[in-house]
Amino acid sequence: MTTTTAPGTADTAAVRRAISSTPRPPRPGPLSAALTFGWRGMLKVKHVPEQLLDVTVTPVMFLLMFTYLFGGAIAGSTSAYLDYTLPGLLVMSVLFTTVYSGVSLNTDLTKGVVDRFRTLPIWRPAPLLGSLLGDSVRYVIAGTVIIVVGVALGFRPDGGVLGAVAALALVVVFSFGLSWVFCVLGLLLRSPNAVMNAGFMAIFPLTFLSNVFVDPATLPGPLEAFVDVNPISVLATASRSLMAGEPDGGAIVVSLAVAAGLAAVFLPLTTRLYRSR
């Protein structure tokens, strides 16, 4: 007497035999997992190139508008104002891009992608850290666009290529620390639009109440005092000094300290919120 085995049962048994006879792949390390999620962010840009508009078109628009509309009135000539404002616009353009770190995280959260990540046998903070590593590439692109367009318009940094690269690196490091603040917003607010609105409402006043566009000495006393202690002003000063070939050690140290402080406070908070959502 022969026993007939259902096709589904045979397939299940074959799958179990294959699984049991194959060694389990090694669990990915923290760095490998983070880099994989960073590459995921790059693939998003590959499939949706429109995501690069905010880091290419917007910086160029700001540079052209402020240089040619306000440069003559503020500095007497567009070339003199370009030399003053380009390092500050480098800071502003890259810092604006950090808001999208929170927007991207909130999008993954509201669409259920984060729930899928939690089922994977990976280091828990890897999706967060990888996402910000991918965003750092966007920061580099935004800063590079500003510098290249500035050079095309006649900007010549006295610090040369090394000075420009050092200024860009400092701004990217600061932006990496600031992006953790917007990640917290991305985990607290309910929609990507809410994150974007709240983020720009916070970053716009701090950016315009700085020395990015005008010399603080021309401002009223109380406003000048605020601008002088604004971390964005300190970062812009450090960027100018590096591009000028005369590094301001105090401004550079303060900028790095603020970036480290933001990361030290908001990175653990982001991780805690990420685990509880």
Side-chain angles (χ1 to χ4, degrees), residues 99-159:
V99 176
Y100 293 96
S101 297
V103 174
S104 176
L105 178 57
N106 186 273
T107 300
D108 285 345
L109 188 67
T110 53
K111 290 187 175 181
V113 178
V114 172
D115 293 331
R116 296 183 181 182
F117 292 160
R118 290 196 180 107
T119 65
L120 300 176
I122 57 173
W123 184 47
R124 279 297 182 88
L128 291 173
L129 182 59
S131 176
L132 293 189
L133 289 176
D135 288 339
S136 296
V137 177
R138 292 158 62 94
Y139 305 157
V140 172
I141 294 174
T144 302
V145 168
I146 280 287
I147 295 173
V148 169
V149 174
V151 169
L153 295 177
F155 176 74
R156 297 295 182 268
D158 293 334

Side-chain angles (χ1 to χ4, degrees), residues 242-258:
L242 289 168
M243 287 191 174
E246 301 175 352
D248 187 334
I252 294 172
V253 170
V254 170
S255 298
L256 292 174
V258 171

Side-chain angles (χ1 to χ4, degrees), residues 10-52:
D11 292 342
T12 302
V15 169
R16 289 178 177 174
R17 285 195 301 270
I19 293 175
S20 62
S21 63
T22 304
R24 182 187 295 270
R27 183 170 180 170
L31 179 59
S32 174
L35 291 177
T36 299
F37 280 100
W39 181 244
R40 170 181 176 262
M42 294 297 94
L43 290 178
K44 284 184 179 180
V45 175
K46 176 183 177 182
H47 295 295
V48 188
E50 294 82 3
Q51 292 186 9
L52 287 179

Side-chain angles (χ1 to χ4, degrees), residues 162-200:
L162 290 179
V165 171
L168 176 59
L170 179 64
V171 174
V172 170
V173 170
F174 187 94
S175 300
F176 184 81
L178 180 63
S179 59
W180 291 105
V181 178
F182 297 112
C183 284
V184 170
L185 286 179
L187 292 169
L188 290 177
L189 301 182
R190 296 184 178 182
S191 69
N193 285 336
V195 177
M196 183 176 297
N197 292 336
F200 280 115

Side-chain angles (χ1 to χ4, degrees), residues 51-73:
Q51 292 186 9
L52 287 179
L53 289 177
D54 63 311
V55 299
T56 53
V57 177
T58 303
V60 172
M61 181 183 66
F62 274 120
L63 181 61
L64 295 175
M65 181 176 66
F66 282 101
T67 299
Y68 290 105
L69 287 182
F70 306 119

